[in-house]
């Protein structure tokens, strides 16, 4: 697979691809025009990273309501977020790992919205039969998964990483609130949060917003 194919499949501009993998912009240009050829080990390393990233960018836009699909329990019918997610989990009836806002709810870092429709997570393609399911991928490392009250969900670091990888299509309010709460509980510090180099700039920007939210 060529560098250009990886980049276009991810939907990145040359600049975005360069930032993602911490490669000089000019180098990406030279590789794609053919004026220079990347070393074979670099191509193999990039392809490995690309394969992981393409899974986590599977959903390119939030799902819309489809009358032909099955409906999941509505958030507005439940008092607590955990009881709602348990009902959703029971309805799904197969392995599913909640991600993003739903993971934050499981962690106790976000309380959701009364009109919640989209449910982010990791599971099989069969889950597309339900309205509102947005898959980030089919599989996820068990080292990134926690469990509470019978619910499986991504840990805080993976939740933040998924949010940064998909920020262009997300409402980041839940992430901002969760980061603000983390900052407060962690002695006005974000120590302990692990961020991939390609998302460091985006995280620093988001962290500033979260600090402002905490202090307001």
């Amino acid at each position: 697979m060529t560098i250009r194919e990886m980049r276009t499949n991810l939907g990145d501009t040359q600049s975005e691809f360069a930032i993602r993998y911490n490669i000089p912009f000019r180098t990406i240009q030279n590789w794609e025009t053919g004026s220079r050829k990347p070393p074979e080990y670099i191509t193999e390393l990039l392809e490995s990273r690309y394969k992981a990233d393409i899974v986590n960018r599977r959903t390119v836009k939030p799902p819309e309501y489809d009358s032909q699909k099955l409906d999941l329990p509505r958030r507005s019918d439940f008092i607590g977020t955990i009881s709602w997610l348990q009902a959703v989990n029971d309805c799904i009836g197969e392995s599913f790992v909640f991600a993003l806002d739903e993971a934050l709810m499981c962690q106790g870092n976000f309380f959701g919205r009364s009109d919640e429709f989209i449910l982010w997570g990791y599971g099989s393609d069969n889950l597309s039969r339900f309205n509102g399911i947005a898959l980030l991928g089919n599989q996820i490392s068990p080292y990134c998964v926690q469990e509470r009250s019978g619910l499986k969900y991504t840990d805080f670091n993976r939740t933040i990483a998924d949010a940064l990888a998909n920020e262009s299509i997300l409402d980041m309010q839940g992430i901002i609130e969760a980061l603000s709460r983390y900052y407060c509980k962690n002695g006005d510090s974000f120590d302990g949060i692990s961020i991939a180099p390609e998302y460091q700039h985006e995280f620093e920007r988001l962290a500033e917003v979260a600090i402002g939210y905490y202090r307001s």
Side-chain angles (χ1 to χ4, degrees), residues 99-205:
L100 297 174
D101 279 2
E102 287 66 50
L104 295 177
M105 293 177 201
C106 292
Q107 297 161 15
N109 287 321
F110 183 54
F111 301 108
R113 309 168 182 84
S114 61
D115 60 346
E116 206 80 47
F117 170 67
I118 299 174
L119 291 132
W120 302 92
Y122 293 85
S124 75
D125 288 336
N126 293 331
L127 296 177
S128 63
R129 69 186 186 276
F130 291 107
N131 266 309
I133 293 288
L135 291 178
L136 293 176
N138 295 131
Q139 298 179 344
I140 183 173
S141 168
Y143 296 107
C144 299
V145 177
Q146 297 180 326
E147 188 167 352
R148 173 191 177 193
S149 302
L151 303 173
K152 293 182 179 180
Y153 54 94
T154 56
D155 63 23
F156 192 66
N157 274 327
R158 182 55 184 255
T159 304
I160 298 301
D162 283 342
L164 293 171
N166 296 279
E167 184 176 2
S168 63
I169 60 172
L170 296 179
D171 176 348
M172 299 293 281
Q173 183 61 35
I175 298 296
I176 290 170
E177 289 186 22
L179 283 173
S180 178
R181 187 171 286 107
Y182 183 98
Y183 183 78
C184 173
K185 290 183 177 179
N186 202 44
D188 290 359
S189 171
F190 291 112
D191 289 349
I193 298 179
S194 178
I195 302 297
E198 61 265 30
Y199 297 125
Q200 189 63 46
H201 177 73
E202 288 80 358
F203 174 75
E204 290 172 0
R205 173 181 47 79

Side-chain angles (χ1 to χ4, degrees), residues 3-116:
I3 302 299
R4 179 179 175 77
E5 287 173 334
M6 293 184 218
R7 178 179 65 77
T8 55
N9 285 346
L10 285 167
D12 285 352
T13 63
Q14 288 182 334
S15 178
E16 289 169 339
F17 191 83
I19 292 172
R20 176 192 292 271
Y21 297 119
N22 197 27
I23 300 171
F25 172 71
R26 182 64 66 182
T27 300
I28 299 297
Q29 283 188 318
N30 290 339
W31 286 348
E32 290 199 8
T33 59
S35 60
R36 287 190 178 183
K37 184 177 180 180
E40 186 175 342
Y41 78 92
I42 291 292
T43 302
E44 291 176 354
L45 178 61
L46 278 175
E47 189 164 352
S48 175
R49 295 287 301 278
Y50 154 80
K51 286 179 179 178
D53 283 356
I54 198 69
V55 167
N56 289 335
R57 294 173 63 89
R58 167 166 294 184
T59 299
V60 295
K61 65 177 182 178
E64 298 178 353
Y65 186 81
D66 184 344
S67 60
Q68 301 301 310
K69 292 185 177 184
L70 300 172
D71 289 335
L72 289 166
R74 296 183 302 176
R75 171 68 183 92
S76 57
D77 291 338
F78 294 82
I79 296 176
T81 56
I82 296 299
S83 60
W84 169 58
L85 292 175
Q86 286 173 329
V88 168
N89 202 49
D90 291 342
C91 187
I92 287 174
E94 62 179 86
S95 180
F96 185 70
V97 177
F98 291 100
L100 297 174
D101 279 2
E102 287 66 50
L104 295 177
M105 293 177 201
C106 292
Q107 297 161 15
N109 287 321
F110 183 54
F111 301 108
R113 309 168 182 84
S114 61
D115 60 346
E116 206 80 47

